[in-house]
Amino acid sequence: MSDDVPALPEGYEISTDPARVDVDRVHGWLSTDAYWALERPRATFDGVIAHSLNFGVYDTASGEQVAYARVVTDHGLFAWLCDVYVDRSVRGTGVGTAMVRQVRDHLGALGVRRILLATHDAHGVYEKIGFKPLDKPDQWMALHFA
């Protein structure tokens, strides 16, 4: 899928190596600054990282993690993109958009046919990469536990 999303800006690299994820930093971001994950317990986060495909963006000079995305997938047909977070210090630089594009391309190479996500406020970012509202939202259902 082609688009006009630039590559990851110079000075940054992306990795799917779960050992590189700065778990303390990412948990801090999500549990204190991400509306969908506020107060998420650390033990819960440790478990979901272990069972997910993790993407991290790192400053090549310092090695510091500056962005994160998590994917729940069967590695063949379906994926759920979640916990996308970009450190406030690099927002607006294209890091987040480029990361999500690389997530999309990585999953596409696996043969994934559908990637879903939910967002309250970043529709424009995802639309640049090809995401669209559900064609038939009335066909989708959810089960929520208290």
Side-chain angles (χ1 to χ4, degrees):
M1 179 177 284
S2 71
D3 51 45
D4 295 328
V5 177
L8 203 58
E10 188 173 330
Y12 297 98
E13 63 184 350
I14 192 165
S15 174
T16 58
D17 180 357
R20 287 191 70 185
V21 174
D22 183 339
V23 179
D24 291 331
R25 182 177 182 99
V26 175
H27 178 259
W29 285 335
L30 296 175
S31 65
T32 64
D33 193 40
Y35 64 82
W36 65 91
L38 293 175
E39 299 181 22
R40 181 183 289 167
R42 173 61 187 265
T44 299
F45 187 61
D46 290 345
V48 298
I49 281 182
H51 298 289
S52 299
L53 176 57
N54 300 278
F55 291 80
V57 177
Y58 305 88
D59 181 299
T60 55
S62 68
E64 179 179 65
Q65 186 165 359
V66 298
Y68 176 77
R70 184 170 70 83
V71 177
V72 180
T73 183
D74 59 15
H75 297 270
L77 296 175
F78 177 80
W80 175 263
L81 174 59
C82 52
D83 288 343
V84 177
Y85 191 92
V86 178
D87 187 87
R88 290 182 179 274
S89 68
V90 298
R91 288 185 189 169
T93 64
V95 164
T97 304
M99 175 180 66
V100 174
R101 187 196 69 194
Q102 289 196 27
V103 169
R104 179 202 67 196
D105 293 350
H106 181 95
L107 294 170
L110 295 175
V112 169
R113 297 185 44 100
R114 179 175 287 132
I115 304 170
L116 293 180
L117 63 85
T119 183
H120 287 276
D121 58 0
H123 296 79
V125 172
Y126 296 107
E127 286 170 348
K128 290 184 217 174
I129 302 160
F131 285 87
K132 298 176 184 166
L134 294 173
D135 289 333
K136 299 179 182 178
D138 57 312
Q139 292 182 357
W140 294 87
M141 297 179 70
L143 172 65
H144 300 273
F145 293 96

